[in-house]
């Protein structure tokens, strides 16, 4: 029987790579790639084995996202958001929902960022108001990946009644009063379907509450942040890996005929490629160390979780910028395979927690100040 690594390798090369350029050009959701991942059982990667899932954890999620990101950032990020949602669902949702998720019947995502509090996802302004047995959600979400394709949203709001910064809900996509604002036309990750969403009096009941009322921040920090940071780091690494490989191929195969030399014969070009390779490997090593820390419960786990996303996000913008330089004017064309990754790679630094927030959190942590 094939391992999930072998399965994702086949899907990445035979399906995801084939659709990546068109997904980017048209901004279409990478449906064929998601269908292939679903058919292979990979939407249930994090679901418990006894419920029909693969029973894997953050390491597997990061490896799958990294492999897909080498071919298509949009597919990788859609799956990253599904796995982030799955981590919460796996811990707090009713068994029937978890069973369906394990079977690939759901596509999940996080609906945290809001128009009012923007990247400060820990401070939702959207409300959850209880009237009798019903609860009504009202919010203006600023970015929701897979907004028009998800089957359910892992949704943040202010608490109903409890103390605390937030509560987390499982909101079905077909809920009355839930709306998204059309098609995403972004700079990068163009197949992500990342649009704003509005909830106007969306009715749920208490079974939709994930965890206890008022415990949203703990869920965000303990359940979402570690796996989300590891996976966005993995996405950046995959994009760097894809661009480094495309740039090496271009440099080794293209040259100045009148000099009878390849681009790779230029020491400056080789040095740029070497720096790309080093930065990619450094980010990968930090991710692998973060995953080891998470698995063993090491004391520095939270520091590594914060570091790995900042490191990969910043490295990705630099490595992808260098890839553009190495490939010269040719890099402006789509066929070289660098400019799409250059655009996709920019999102990692501004997806919350943004790099600048991470710098602030890390700075506080190493100065012995309270982080959150
Ligand atoms: C492609 C894409 C997909 C996304 N998908 C989702 C999704 O599925 N679900 C979801 O919930 N969100 C999603 N987001 C939103 C994302 O997580 C961030 O909330 C969003 O990108 C922040 O942008 P903003 O303009 O609101 O940032 P702002 O909050 O306006 O920040 C602007 C700048 O100020 C800086 N800044 C803000 N606060 C601080 C601080 N305290 N210290 C230092 N610097 C600070 C930021 O780093 C940034 O550089 C997505 C974003 C993108 C780009």
């Amino acid at each position: 029987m094939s391992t999930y690594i072998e399965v994702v390798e086949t899907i990445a090369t035979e399906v995801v790579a084939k659709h990546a350029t068109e997904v980017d050009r048209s901004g279409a959701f990478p449906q064929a790639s998601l269908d292939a991942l679903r058919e292979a059982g990979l939407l249930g990667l994090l679901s418990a084995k006894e419920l029909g899932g693969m029973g894997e954890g953050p390491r597997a999620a990061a490896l799958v996202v990294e492999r897909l990101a080498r071919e298509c950032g949009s597919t990788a990020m859609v799956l990253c958001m599904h796995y982030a949602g799955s981590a919460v669902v796996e811990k707090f949702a009713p068994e029937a929902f978890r069973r369906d998720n394990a079977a690939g019947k759901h596509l999940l995502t996080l609906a945290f960022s809001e128009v009012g509090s923007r990247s400060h996802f820990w401070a939702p302004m959207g409300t959850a108001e209880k009237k009798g047995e019903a609860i009504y959600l009202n919010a203006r979400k600023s970015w929701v990946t897979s907004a028009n394709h998800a089957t359910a949203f892992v949704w943040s709001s202010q608490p109903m009644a409890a103390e605390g910064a937030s509560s987390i809900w499982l909101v079905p996509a077909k809920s009355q009063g839930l709306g998204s604002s059309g098609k995403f036309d972004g700079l990068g990750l163009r197949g992500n379907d990342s649009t704003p969403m509005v909830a106007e009096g969306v009715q749920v009941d208490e079974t939709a509450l994930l965890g206890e009322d008022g415990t949203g921040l703990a869920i965000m920090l303990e359940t979402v942040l570690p796996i989300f940071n590891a996976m966005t780091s993995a996405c950046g690494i995959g994009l760097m890996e894809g661009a480094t490989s495309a740039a090496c191929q271009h440099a080794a195969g293209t040259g100045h005929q009148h000099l009878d030399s390849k681009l790779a014969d230029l020491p400056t070009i080789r040095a740029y490629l070497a720096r790309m390779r080093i930065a990619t490997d450094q980010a990968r090593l930090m991710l692998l160390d973060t995953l080891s820390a998470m698995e063993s419960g090491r004391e520095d786990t939270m520091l590594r979780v914060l570091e790995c996303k900042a490191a990969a996000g910043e490295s990705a913008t630099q490595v992808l910028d260098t890839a553009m330089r190495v490939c010269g004017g040719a890099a402006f064309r789509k066929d070289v395979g660098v400019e799409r990754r250059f655009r996709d790679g920019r999102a990692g630094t501004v997806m919350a927690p943004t790099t600048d927030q991470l710098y602030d959190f890390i700075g506080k942590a190493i100065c012995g100040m309270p982080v959150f």
Side-chain angles (χ1 to χ4, degrees), residues 23-35:
V23 162
D24 177 62
R25 193 199 61 74
S26 64
F29 191 72
Q31 194 61 55
S33 301
L34 265 295
D35 287 345

Side-chain angles (χ1 to χ4, degrees), residues 81 109-113 118-120 143-145 184 189 192 194 347 350-352 354 356-357:
M81 299 313 290
T109 189
L110 302 178
F112 285 179
S113 304
R118 305 182 70 86
S119 58
H120 299 197
W143 289 87
V144 182
T145 290
F184 176 53
L189 297 178
N192 256 24
S194 301
V350 294
M351 290 185 85
T354 67
D356 288 312
Q357 289 161 354

